[in-house]
Amino acid sequence: AEVARIRFLTLMFLCVSPQTLLSEKVGQMMDWASKRAVIRLNGEKFRRFVRAPPRNYSVIIMFTALQPQRQCAVCRQADEEYQILANSWRYSSAFTNKVFFALVDFDEGSDVFQMLNMNSAPTFINFPPKGKPKRADTYELQVRGFAAEQIARWVADRTDVHIRVIRPPNYAGPLMLGLLLALIGSLAYLRRNNLEFLYNKNVWAFSALCFVLIMTSGQMWNHIRGPPYAHKNPSTGQVSYIHGSSQAQFVAETHIVLLFNAAVTLGMVLLHEAATSDMDIGKRKIMCVAGIGLVMLFFSWLLSIFRAKYHGYPYR
């Protein structure tokens, strides 16, 4: 009779306990989410609220290294975008307990990094309600960048939860534009009796050239995708300024390409001036040699970057 009673109590515990445990976990997660949009997890909390069943909610986790001694500038930039996304969800009228946003810092949960064999940061992973994360549950940061809007699209694809990203007002852009227009207006007013510079072909040619160089270097892609400036490997400390994939780029990479394109353009201008100007022959020879050197050197470096990104490209 005693054995039967113990078996009955054990069976009742197994039937009731999972629901009770799930209710407690959801209640705790909701309580944390009400206080902070991004829940900070250590190893013990990760194992209890993410890895251990039962769980009927998804957890989006950013694995990062935010401590100053880690010198991870990309982590701080990605964290700002992640906070914007999490706050957009927290204050949304559609907010439910279906998805939670969390963060594991290396210095607070190094055992979690070891558990998941993770050696780079930042990394975003979706932990679905059932089963283990699949390959698509790891966000392609190097391809998509860490803009809040891009992460929101990935979250919608993995959890079917659509989040409208609401950014805090940023007056820096309009302020700078206003100052620029005021500066141009002031210069035009001061020179109102002599506006011949507006008809100067060199001024307009230089302005158009700068615009073309900015666009062809990939600045618009940076504005849309929001990629990191560079990537630092946390294990080796090596910093990469050129992305190894043809489907993505770093901000530093676009600056390098812009510089190389500008140098090639300068070389072409020198060659043209050497061929058409009325200078003495000695100066024209110097301009010609300098132009050829600039074109050959910087165009070869451009091809090297192209070969590094498009593997198998046959030309040098």
Side-chain angles (χ1 to χ4, degrees), residues 9-189:
L9 292 175
T10 303
L11 181 62
M12 290 295 295
F13 175 78
L14 291 175
C15 291
V16 176
S17 181
Q19 290 299 326
T20 304
L21 180 59
L22 177 61
S23 178
E24 291 177 354
K25 290 171 70 173
V26 171
Q28 182 64 76
M29 293 291 284
M30 288 292 288
D31 181 59
W32 284 334
S34 66
K35 299 175 182 176
R36 180 181 291 179
V38 177
I39 303 170
R40 297 186 73 97
L41 300 176
N42 55 22
E44 189 271 332
K45 290 179 179 178
F46 175 81
R47 284 185 287 270
R48 180 183 175 189
F49 292 94
V50 180
R51 292 299 292 265
R55 181 162 56 84
N56 63 353
Y57 51 85
S58 295
V59 185
I60 310 295
I61 298 183
M62 175 184 176
F63 295 90
T64 186
L66 295 175
Q67 297 301 316
Q69 66 267 22
R70 300 298 174 187
Q71 298 182 351
C72 183
V74 178
C75 294
R76 291 191 290 272
Q77 295 170 6
D79 180 64
E80 292 177 1
E81 293 294 311
Y82 191 57
Q83 295 287 343
I84 290 173
L85 175 62
N87 277 291
S88 298
W89 172 237
R90 176 187 174 188
Y91 295 108
S92 168
S93 59
F95 175 74
T96 64
N97 58 10
K98 186 177 179 180
V99 176
F100 294 100
F101 289 87
L103 179 147
V104 176
D105 191 282
F106 180 80
D107 291 280
E108 299 173 2
S110 58
D111 53 336
V112 179
F113 278 74
Q114 295 175 1
M115 183 192 312
L116 301 176
N117 295 320
M118 194 174 299
N119 56 11
S120 63
T123 300
F124 298 91
I125 299 180
N126 168 51
F127 291 86
K130 296 181 180 179
K132 296 181 179 180
K134 300 177 182 178
R135 183 175 181 180
D137 286 312
T138 299
Y139 180 69
E140 296 178 326
L141 179 66
Q142 306 299 339
V143 176
R144 295 184 169 187
F146 49 70
E149 291 79 5
Q150 293 293 332
I151 304 176
R153 293 189 187 100
W154 169 71
V155 170
D157 179 60
R158 303 313 305 164
T159 66
D160 201 30
V161 171
H162 298 269
I163 303 173
R164 182 184 171 214
V165 176
I166 302 176
R167 293 183 174 275
N170 183 3
Y171 301 105
L175 181 61
M176 292 300 296
L177 179 60
L179 290 175
L180 178 61
L181 293 176
L183 177 62
I184 295 174
S186 301
L187 291 175
Y189 178 77

Side-chain angles (χ1 to χ4, degrees), residues 1-10:
E2 184 64 23
V3 173
R5 178 175 173 274
I6 293 174
R7 287 179 178 175
F8 176 76
L9 292 175
T10 303

